[in-house]
Amino acid sequence: MQYQYPERLQCAILDWAGTVVDFGSFAPTQIFVEAFAELGVELSLEEARGPMGMGKWDHIRTLCDNPAIAARFKQAVGHMPSDADVTALYERFMPLQIAKIGEHSALIPGALEAIATLREQGLKIGSCSGYPAIVMEQVIARAKDNGYEADHVVATDEVPNGRPHPAQALANVIALGVSDVAACVKVDDTAPGILEGRSAGMWTVALTCSGNALGLSHNEYTNMAPNLLAEQRARIEAQFAPAQPHFMIDTIADLPAVVAEINARLARGERP
């Protein structure tokens, strides 16, 4: 048998919050602030957004490893944050998160149309998230009510290691019967999500304006002065650069044009 390069994409693996739903990725960030506040620890939205894209336990652990946050934690609680404290915060986070999902479940404008275009071209739609399965149940149900249903979903606690490890992306490859990782594109609004796709050997597309990095509502985004938006876009592109995404676009609405370019590159024998 002889190896043959894939000539077209077979699958798009999409993140959820900040990619397909919840423009600005507000649902997870506010809950981190509230969970820490219950212990008397002040946490800003900017700090909460820092490790976004990781599994939520790992996200909290990373926040607690921040020296400034750890110092505030020690002042409020009396000791430096341990893994047991992280688990306790995670357990506080979960019911708050489930309750908050409904407030931020709207589909990102243009998502349905873009995904429909990809399906018409024969692509399967995989998905994964930093949310655990119990939260994803709520996200999936609300997205279905709004007209979106992925072909497969992998939650962060359904694999041994979440992002930036490649396990969730690769679980989609296996479940959807994709013949080659080079025939997949991973789309995400966070650096850990891009690293996930990179580590899995896939094409990667970073979303600069719909998710965590910009952190604005769709209305705020569309009403931002062009020069200010250009400045923010440049800042976010520099933020994504170490993860080395193959493409950077504003929102998922721009994805079909990127898919066309990837298909052209695959047809020329290029690889991710």
Side-chain angles (χ1 to χ4, degrees), residues 167-233:
Q168 286 177 271
L170 294 175
N172 276 279
V173 170
I174 294 167
L176 295 173
V178 178
S179 67
D180 195 312
V181 292
C184 296
V185 57
K186 175 69 203 306
V187 185
D188 208 289
D189 67 300
T190 68
I194 296 301
L195 289 170
E196 170 196 18
R198 271 296 206 171
S199 298
M202 300 174 177
W203 300 91
T204 55
V205 180
L207 303 179
T208 58
C209 296
S210 65
N212 182 67
L214 186 61
L216 298 179
S217 69
H218 184 257
N219 186 57
E220 290 170 327
Y221 159 67
T222 55
N223 288 304
M224 182 176 280
N227 62 317
L228 294 178
L229 181 59
E231 290 176 6
Q232 288 298 308
R233 191 182 287 113

Side-chain angles (χ1 to χ4, degrees), residues 57 60-61 64-65 79-90:
W57 193 96
I60 296 169
R61 179 70 269 178
C64 287
D65 288 339
H79 60 266
M80 296 296 281
S82 65
D83 280 357
D85 293 312
V86 171
T87 298
L89 276 164
Y90 179 80

